[in-house]
Amino acid sequence: MGSGDLALVLHAHLPFIRHPEHRYHLEENWLYEATVATYLPLLDVFRGLARDSVDFRLTISLSPPLCTMLEDDLLKTRTAAYLDRLCRLGDSEMRRTSGDPTFHRIARFYADRFGHLKALYDELRGDVIGAFRALQDDGLLEIITVGATHGYLPVIREPSARRAQVQVACESYQRMFGRWPRGIWLPECGYTEGLDAVLAECGLRYFFVDAHGILNARPQPPLGIHAPVFCKTGVAAFGRDLESSKQVWSAKEGYPGDGVYRDFYRDIGFDLPLDYIGDYIHPDGIRVHTGFKYFRVTGPDVDLANKQPYDPDAAKERAATHAGNFMFNREKQMQHLSAHMDRRPLVVSPYDAELYGHWWFEGPWFLDFLARKIAFDQSTVRLSTAAEYLEENTTNSVAEPSPSSWGDGGYSSVWVHESNDWIYRHVHRAEARMHELARRWKDGTDDITRRALNQAARELLLAQSSDWAFIMKTATAVKYACDRIKTHLARFRRIDRELTAGWINAEWLADLEARDNIFGELDYRVYA
Amino acid sequence: MDREELGKMKLEALRLLALEKGIDEARSLGKVEIIDRLVPKGIVERAKEAVAHAVEVVEEKAHEIADKVLHHGEHQGAAKADGQTAHGETADSETADGDVAAGDAAERKATVKKPAHPSNGFGVPSMTVHPHVDHGPREPLHMLDFEELPETYGVDECEVLFRDPFSVFAYWEITDGGVSSARAQLGQSADSSRLVMRMFTTVPGVEGVDRQIHDLDLPWNHGKRYLQAPKPGAHLRVAVGLLSGEGYFAPIAHSSLVRVPPAEPQPGPVEWMQVIPPKTRGRTREPLVVVRRGGDHAERGVRTPEQHAESGHERGGSSPTAKSGSQTYPFGGSSPGSSPGRRDGSK
């Protein structure tokens, strides 16, 4: 009976959003929500698997902005405060629902859950990164890096700026995880011709592309997406398996759309009166998600008003069923593929990490069941990682992956769109200027000039984040995204002018360093 | 804490302290202002500052009046050249191209030049630098973060980015100097020339490399366009320049080279490569070591039909609750267009 390897890959990223000047900031909340909904629950699952000696492997990319925010003292303090608020709201909800057994049961579930997550956060002393690092050191997780600020590499014009996105990410990774990364999750899975040379130069061994990045590679790889290809530089490219991706991703056909699972949109932040919920939403009364969601998906065309109450136990049971179904399909897939291959086929299943827990509440349970079932219930599928696969399969076909991304349409149409294309000429000018500045001072300079150059590089990196273009395209927090790009470019241009004039406003620079405090060890000469 | 101690604190810490003290506006205040709110100055100190400020305002007003007197005529001329009135308002004049497409009109409207110094509410340009002042700009620090992006950069440039296998995005800017140089290149032909974006593509084919050139008239000296890619998988570069009536092209700026994504698999001879895995399993950084490369790797790859028949494997079925469809190509997938992709709003 043929067997094969399954590489689950989670991509965890949030843009760098840190506003010390505001006591409450809407977009900063994304970090707290994701920490509570995704990162802590995933850690809880991974640590549970390790504790129970379940042999599992999983790859997770942790982007430098996310890592920086998770490590930041101010944001850690605010995350702890967010968890405290959730626990208080849990108590309040227990009291409010005490006369209704159905909803009281769900309120208790949330109160217990948030209490447990708060205890976990306290136990870790807020060191989420340290907990991930420990799991990697134990050989269970393979943590890979992402572009420094998640810049979509196909639209970065200046070669040194493209290299900087990768090199700065690797250096940041080394500082966080005590080793050099072996692999990288290209931001938005965006590949363009020649990128492998940048990755090779930065000491990376593998990356991932969407399926058509491999299927349309030149020449067409004989093993398709179920084995990696080596680029001419020797860096390996792994292709996304569409079949397994779709089972989880697809809103219509995928597991998360099951009627038993929790509905994301019904939330007491929107449902309850302001005088009750006011302390747990935006201070100006803007309604936001609180995490207390009492209803289930119910059905595909059921409107919000007709959703039925959520049953956590039934949902957990369904997650176990879906994990079994996923495993069963992978077994059949491996048996089928191995009949056509001279080696163990590899199925690469990458997902946004935030799908698990944030969007699909039961996602972490699904992963937990899946890992345990694969470890104990069958012998066809083995959990593996790209790095392990390359250790066992040192010979692969050579091909140039096709330019591609994993965005809607499969190419650049999300990030190069009428809503956001105005960005590029300005960012490109800044890239070219940064290169000139780094060349001018490539042999070093005095302290204040060095700091100004480093900050200019930070502002450019932050402006390059693909999230801003994505937000504009999806028309969500558009004003915030536009303001962020304009602000970072304005800061960059002002530093440039001050450097050119030979006069640097030290107080303003110090203020900027304190606000945009990502990449403290950055050396601007990466742009030289 | 006294003013001196507060002065040693970083702005961020000061803001947090002020917020804790209930000074809600601290998030928009500079360091000095926050200190003022936390520890108000004494009456003598405030009187001295008021006198100093009054002197500064009078001096500045005097400079402003002198500037107006000296450069009155010059300002008027420059404002007209920029399409602005003497009061800084935009003049919405028509151009010779009355029949431009709606998209062009919208784009032009969006790219009308803005006043050189957007008002910051203080009556002076935010970004004005006074070289003789050694204590830095007087605006609160946060004011320095706000600045509209420039309409043009005064450079000759164009760039192209692929959007998908069938279209690319291009932007351009040219200067009067660039146009003059191009006209000089064309000589007498310059009089009949027009501004165009020229797209050069090379497509490798069975009968060698196919080279194509496409020209697109440009109505403005800066802007952006989506262009149809002549062929998926092509290498492409664009240039902006003057095209004479006789067909001579004088480039002003050109883009870097991009490869448009192919839309289908690309057959070709298969090569194999062996790469030595890292000995330390990632604990230290190790260089990539390629030990073998070539086409003679018969033991690798897809099994032959005979091997397949011997193995006796058939495609397995799905469980009753299976949600995915069957595959027709053992190593393939559906088209990129059906890629599940990211959920909208997942970030």
Side-chain angles (χ1 to χ4, degrees):
Chain A
M1 186 70 76
S3 59
D5 292 341
L6 171 65
L8 295 170
V9 183
L10 301 184
H11 169 50
H13 164 69
L14 286 176
F16 184 75
I17 296 178
R18 179 179 177 274
H19 291 282
E21 71 277 20
H22 295 293
R23 204 183 303 178
Y24 184 103
H25 193 278
L26 208 56
E27 283 78 12
E28 200 178 83
N29 263 22
W30 296 348
L31 173 69
Y32 315 138
E33 289 174 16
T35 301
V36 172
T38 294
Y39 311 136
L40 286 177
L42 284 179
L43 268 180
D44 203 26
V45 166
F46 299 151
R47 285 158 59 93
L49 292 170
R51 185 188 58 234
D52 297 344
S53 302
V54 178
D55 184 26
F56 82 101
R57 297 284 186 284
L58 187 140
T59 302
I60 186 164
S61 63
L62 297 173
S63 77
L66 176 61
C67 291
T68 304
M69 291 191 292
L70 288 171
E71 270 206 333
D72 184 86
D73 284 341
L74 173 71
L75 298 178
K76 277 158 74 171
T77 305
R78 291 180 171 182
T79 303
Y82 181 83
L83 275 161
D84 282 338
R85 275 203 305 278
L86 286 175
C87 291
R88 280 203 305 277
L89 183 55
D91 293 340
S92 178
E93 280 297 278
M94 292 274 283
R95 287 193 296 276
R96 186 183 70 83
T97 59
S98 58
D100 185 328
T102 303
F103 288 99
H104 187 67
R105 188 164 160 269
I106 309 172
R108 179 181 293 283
F109 165 76
Y110 280 125
D112 291 346
R113 175 183 172 80
F114 291 131
H116 174 70
L117 292 174
K118 177 69 170 65
L120 174 61
Y121 196 67
D122 289 344
E123 180 194 333
L124 299 175
R125 296 175 185 276
D127 188 9
V128 173
I129 294 298
F132 278 113
R133 184 171 54 234
L135 287 160
Q136 168 158 268
D137 292 343
D138 289 343
L140 302 173
L141 289 187
E142 164 96 4
I143 302 174
I144 58 175
T145 192
V146 191
T149 52
H150 213 263
Y152 181 57
L153 298 172
V155 299
I156 295 180
R157 180 177 65 171
E158 171 63 41
S160 67
R162 206 175 267 181
R163 187 177 65 241
Q165 274 282 345
V166 179
Q167 180 70 19
V168 171
C170 292
E171 288 168 2
S172 172
Y173 179 100
Q174 186 172 42
R175 190 181 67 75
M176 303 259 183
F177 299 105
R179 60 171 77 177
W180 199 258
R182 284 186 283 189
I184 185 170
W185 178 265
L186 298 176
E188 317 294 3
C189 235
Y191 183 80
T192 189
E193 195 171 54
L195 202 50
D196 62 299
V198 177
L199 306 186
E201 187 185 340
C202 294
L204 292 162
R205 292 178 170 271
Y206 66 86
F207 61 99
F208 299 92
V209 290
D210 206 331
H212 54 292
I214 297 293
L215 295 174
N216 292 348
R218 185 171 53 189
Q220 185 181 17
L223 299 178
I225 55 175
H226 297 113
V229 298
F230 282 135
C231 302
K232 287 177 182 172
T233 50
V235 178
F238 291 81
R240 177 165 77 145
D241 175 68
L242 290 173
E243 187 179 332
S244 58
S245 293
K246 202 174 175 183
Q247 268 187 292
V248 177
W249 259 122
S250 172
K252 286 183 180 171
E253 303 165 60
Y255 302 134
D258 192 288
V260 173
Y261 288 144
R262 193 185 78 168
D263 181 79
F264 176 80
Y265 297 99
R266 278 294 294 270
D267 187 294
I268 63 169
F270 298 92
D271 286 351
L272 296 183
L274 278 178
D275 58 358
Y276 173 80
I277 202 68
D279 288 345
Y280 303 99
I281 59 173
H282 193 286
D284 294 343
I286 301 168
R287 289 183 177 275
V288 296
H289 288 273
T290 62
F292 283 79
K293 301 168 195 289
Y294 286 87
F295 296 90
R296 58 188 175 89
V297 172
T298 310
D301 299 315
V302 178
D303 59 31
L304 288 179
N306 293 315
K307 301 280 184 186
Q308 296 300 305
Y310 178 60
D311 180 349
D313 293 335
K316 198 167 191 175
E317 189 65 30
R318 187 60 51 89
T321 303
H322 282 154
N325 173 258
F326 186 87
M327 184 182 74
F328 176 85
N329 283 323
R330 298 291 77 71
E331 287 179 85
K332 296 301 173 192
Q333 188 179 17
M334 297 298 183
Q335 288 162 10
H336 170 67
L337 290 169
S338 59
H340 297 269
M341 296 173 70
D342 67 336
R343 60 171 82 179
R344 293 171 66 85
L346 174 70
V347 170
V348 176
S349 301
Y351 310 97
D352 261 344
E354 292 79 17
L355 170 69
Y356 290 86
H358 182 69
W359 294 103
W360 181 22
F361 181 69
E362 295 79 6
W365 292 337
F366 168 84
L367 285 178
D368 192 22
F369 287 125
L370 181 62
R372 290 171 193 271
K373 283 176 184 291
I374 286 177
F376 301 117
D377 293 356
Q378 54 83 53
S379 57
T380 304
V381 181
R382 180 179 67 175
L383 285 176
S384 183
T385 66
E388 285 183 343
Y389 195 87
L390 288 174
E391 283 174 16
E392 293 179 10
N393 299 274
T394 59
T395 301
N396 291 287
S397 68
V398 182
E400 167 69 33
S402 163
S404 53
S405 84
W406 78 338
D408 187 30
Y411 300 98
S412 293
S413 57
V414 171
W415 300 278
V416 181
H417 180 263
E418 286 79 355
S419 61
N420 55 34
D421 57 21
W422 57 270
I423 297 171
Y424 297 111
R425 57 192 293 257
H426 302 292
V427 175
H428 289 170
R429 287 310 308 166
E431 289 170 10
R433 187 60 187 150
M434 189 67 232
H435 179 59
E436 289 169 10
L437 292 171
R439 296 285 300 168
R440 180 175 165 188
W441 279 289
K442 67 179 167 29
D443 297 324
T445 179
D446 60 87
D447 183 59
I448 187 79
T449 306
R450 179 187 57 76
R451 281 174 49 205
L453 287 160
N454 286 342
Q455 194 60 34
R458 285 184 200 107
E459 301 301 336
L460 170 58
L461 286 166
L462 289 168
Q464 287 174 322
S465 167
S466 71
D467 303 277
W468 314 137
F470 181 79
I471 289 169
M472 291 175 208
K473 166 70 170 61
T474 52
T476 47
V478 175
K479 185 179 183 310
Y480 181 75
C482 292
D483 285 351
R484 281 293 300 267
I485 287 207
K486 288 180 180 176
T487 300
H488 290 305
L489 289 176
R491 290 171 181 168
F492 176 89
R493 285 161 47 76
R494 180 169 181 86
I495 294 171
D496 179 17
R497 279 196 298 270
E498 291 188 353
L499 284 165
T500 305
W503 178 90
I504 294 161
N505 183 338
E507 190 186 1
W508 181 66
L509 179 61
D511 181 45
L512 268 194
E513 288 171 329
R515 275 193 281 177
D516 294 340
N517 64 348
I518 192 170
F519 307 130
E521 312 295 320
L522 178 66
D523 184 342
Y524 67 87
R525 286 174 289 190
V526 69
Y527 285 92
Chain B
M1 277 196 278
D2 60 24
R3 295 179 65 86
E4 195 180 347
E5 285 175 297
L6 290 171
K8 290 174 187 168
M9 290 175 66
K10 290 199 167 181
L11 178 63
E12 183 186 327
L14 275 173
R15 280 191 176 139
L16 286 173
L17 182 64
L19 288 168
E20 281 172 12
K21 300 266 182 196
I23 305 171
D24 285 337
E25 67 273 31
R27 59 175 67 95
S28 62
L29 295 178
K31 192 170 179 176
V32 175
E33 291 166 306
I34 293 176
I35 294 173
D36 282 346
R37 303 290 169 96
L38 289 169
V39 184
K41 291 173 184 171
I43 189 163
V44 176
E45 205 173 350
R46 276 188 282 156
K48 280 182 183 172
E49 284 191 356
V51 171
H53 179 67
V55 170
E56 204 171 285
V57 169
V58 169
E59 276 182 356
E60 192 173 294
K61 213 63 185 167
H63 282 298
E64 205 174 300
I65 292 166
D67 273 350
K68 278 185 180 169
V69 170
L70 287 171
H71 303 297
H72 181 64
E74 193 181 317
H75 276 184
Q76 276 194 323
K80 281 176 184 170
D82 279 352
Q84 296 167 2
T85 69
H87 301 289
E89 293 161 0
T90 304
D92 194 13
S93 60
E94 289 297 319
T95 67
D97 282 310
D99 58 346
V100 290
D104 284 338
E107 181 176 310
R108 184 172 145 268
K109 194 173 177 185
T111 58
V112 169
K113 287 194 175 182
K114 301 214 168 34
H117 300 299
S119 169
N120 60 5
F122 293 105
V124 292
S126 301
M127 309 307 292
T128 303
V129 175
H130 302 283
H132 62 283
V133 178
D134 59 4
H135 53 68
R138 286 158 294 177
E139 294 85 5
L141 291 178
H142 71 277
M143 291 299 296
L144 304 182
D145 290 350
F146 294 99
E147 179 185 332
E148 282 300 319
L149 293 167
E151 199 50 59
T152 57
Y153 287 89
V155 294
D156 297 312
E157 68 171 359
C158 68
E159 194 49 76
V160 65
L161 302 169
F162 75 79
R163 183 165 66 168
D164 55 44
F166 310 101
S167 64
V168 297
F169 167 72
Y171 67 81
W172 74 94
E173 178 186 339
I174 54 163
T175 63
D176 291 344
V179 173
S180 298
S181 298
R183 289 182 68 85
Q185 281 182 56
L186 292 175
Q188 289 184 334
S189 303
D191 292 340
S192 63
S193 67
R194 64 187 202 276
L195 185 65
V196 300
M197 176 175 283
R198 173 162 283 196
M199 185 193 297
F200 304 88
T201 51
T202 54
V203 187
V206 183
E207 297 172 2
V209 176
D210 176 25
R211 292 185 171 80
Q212 297 177 14
I213 290 176
H214 298 271
D215 291 326
L216 173 79
D217 283 357
L218 296 180
W220 315 112
N221 62 1
H222 68 281
K224 57 190 174 81
R225 283 284 183 283
Y226 286 91
L227 310 169
Q228 189 177 354
K231 187 166 182 183
H235 278 96
L236 182 150
R237 191 192 295 275
V238 298
V240 172
L242 295 181
L243 181 64
S244 73
E246 293 86 353
Y248 296 110
F249 180 68
I252 299 171
H254 64 79
S255 74
S256 46
L257 187 70
V258 298
R259 183 176 173 225
V260 182
E264 55 190 18
Q266 300 167 89
V270 175
E271 267 192 304
W272 297 86
M273 178 191 283
Q274 187 177 12
V275 175
I276 298 297
K279 292 172 185 165
T280 59
R281 306 195 77 187
R283 295 210 173 267
T284 58
R285 182 176 171 177
E286 295 177 48
L288 275 169
V289 181
V290 178
V291 293
R292 193 155 63 115
R293 188 172 167 187
D296 56 340
H297 212 73
E299 77 272 23
R300 295 282 166 188
V302 184
R303 289 186 179 184
T304 63
E306 293 74 23
Q307 287 172 318
H308 186 205
E310 284 169 16
S311 70
H313 286 303
E314 291 297 328
R315 171 79 169 122
S318 294
S319 72
T321 53
K323 299 209 172 194
S324 58
S326 62
Q327 282 181 301
T328 53
Y329 173 53
F331 309 117
S334 54
S335 67
S338 67
S339 167
R342 299 170 56 146
R343 287 181 162 193
D344 279 358
S346 66
K347 294 291 175 196

